[in-house]
Amino acid sequence: MADSTLQAQLRELQAQVTALTESLAQQGDVAAGRLRQRATAAMRDASRTAEDVVDYARSEAESVAGAVREHPAATSTALLTAGLIGGLVGYLIGASQAPHHQHRRWY
């Protein structure tokens, strides 16, 4: 009698485990579907944003190229001035960070 009760409880426990496993599998499928939809939407939005950035950069590059074509002397002067200022700033930064050696005679 005790064996049959134990076997019945064991069958019931196995049925509950099977039902729980199926329920978890269904919930996992639903969660995976939601995650897939969110990832797809995020990729679509990122793609649109990247396309907008590329279009903007292309537009600005064309604008700059047009200005350079119209004013080549001003452009070269501006680039030369920027290069000289950058070189001067680099020299000053390098000179300020160089170690200062004091020359002392040991004799």
Side-chain angles (χ1 to χ4, degrees), residues 7-104:
Q7 288 176 353
Q9 289 177 348
L10 186 58
R11 281 191 296 270
E12 183 180 334
L13 183 61
Q14 286 175 339
Q16 290 175 354
V17 168
T18 301
L20 182 61
T21 303
E22 290 173 0
S23 175
L24 287 175
Q26 288 175 352
Q27 289 177 1
D29 288 342
V30 169
R34 288 181 186 159
L35 182 60
R36 194 176 310 114
Q37 288 174 350
R38 288 181 183 173
T40 302
M43 290 299 293
R44 192 178 323 114
D45 291 344
S47 176
R48 286 184 196 142
T49 302
E51 288 173 4
D52 291 345
V53 168
V54 167
D55 290 342
Y56 179 76
R58 186 175 294 128
S59 163
E60 290 300 314
E62 289 172 1
S63 174
V64 169
V68 168
R69 273 188 236 109
E70 291 177 16
H71 308 287
T75 302
S76 63
T77 302
L79 290 176
L80 181 62
T81 303
L84 289 174
I85 290 172
L88 179 64
V89 168
Y91 175 77
L92 292 175
I93 290 174
S96 71
Q97 292 180 353
H100 296 289
H101 297 290
Q102 294 180 352
H103 298 289
R104 293 187 181 175

